Amino acid sequence: MRIFNCDACGHPVFFDSVQCVHCGAALAFVPELLRVAALRTAPDGSAGAQWTLLTDKAASAPRYKLCGHRGPVGQCNFSLPASDPQTLCVSCRQTHWLPDLSTPDNALRWTKIEAAKRQLFYTLSKLGLGPEHRQEQPRFELLADLPGQAPVLTGHANGTITLNVAEADDAERARRRMALHEPYRTLIGHLRHESGHFFWEPLVLRAGRIEDFRTLFGDERLDYGQALEHYYRRDRSDGSWRDSFISAYATAHPWEDWAETWAHYLHMVDLLETAASYSTSIRLPASDGQHPALHMHDPFERGASRDFNAMLEQWVPLTLLANSLNRSLGHEDAYPFATSAGAVRKLQFVHDMVQAGR
Ligand SMILES: [Zn+2]
Ligand SMILES: [Zn+2]
Ligand SMILES: [Zn+2]
């Protein structure tokens, strides 16, 4: 996620900022513009209910209102057009079921999940897959385990993404990460993965690319339940899967392979955008000192080439840098994966499907 600047004073502000820490300007993310903007009360606005962009002084400047989930619980900083009859922003309204928010734990979990969901929303919009581009959007159900009932399984079915809100607890997520021998488990990772299941149907199946998909990922008509059961029983310690898969879990079923590859593609897009917004350039150390400096580019910036090979060329050194920075601080690798040639071919396929679906 890139950084932004305050329209009032130029100080850096973040995607989730609600106020500039430097000058105090009220801030909101404007989905139509895909940016954080400083707001001012519209000249005839009723007690702050309507806002305009600080930078738009015209009398006819578009009016905005703040998402109904702005505030201590929810903490949504998205805005919506003042004329919109809805009270919730485009991201919050995609959540159809919430856990019982009367328990403080659930309120905190929900707030964390919505923050990750807004990050996903941003990337998908940037890729041209957001609600302004296509009507068909995922619905979300954020559910908590209830005593005496079957545990809530995170997953996707018929356009609905279900997330067990326990995944928002750091301790619980770390426990599951170790129990399942996964090197990486994050909220945004879950959401990116599940969004891959959602977009498989429109971008691959209905786009007439199923034969190309099967050539690379295998036949998805394989019994899904059996495949998963087999995956959890199998010994994966030899690591030979690395030649063709982005992660061990990708070996479970062609659909999981696609969703894992999709998630990694979204990691790639977001990390490159972040690095580009800080004007990062990297020169890998070499014994002969000959490596040229690589400048990080935002692949989905307006006018960018979106050349997959250029993305990949920047991605590898960038993950090395991110991992090295993490190790300096005593953290584990930020990106604990190595991208093999087989995994790269699948990433390229995801890139091509995204480009075609724009
Ligand atoms: Zn400011
Ligand atoms: Zn919202
Ligand atoms: Zn999955």
Side-chain angles (χ1 to χ4, degrees), residues 6-11 13 20-25:
C6 171
D7 293 322
C9 73
H11 201 266
V13 293
C20 173
V21 292
H22 188 244
C23 74

Side-chain angles (χ1 to χ4, degrees), residues 193-194 197 224 249 256 259:
H193 173 103
E194 299 306 334
H197 287 304
Y224 183 76
Y249 185 59
E256 296 311 322

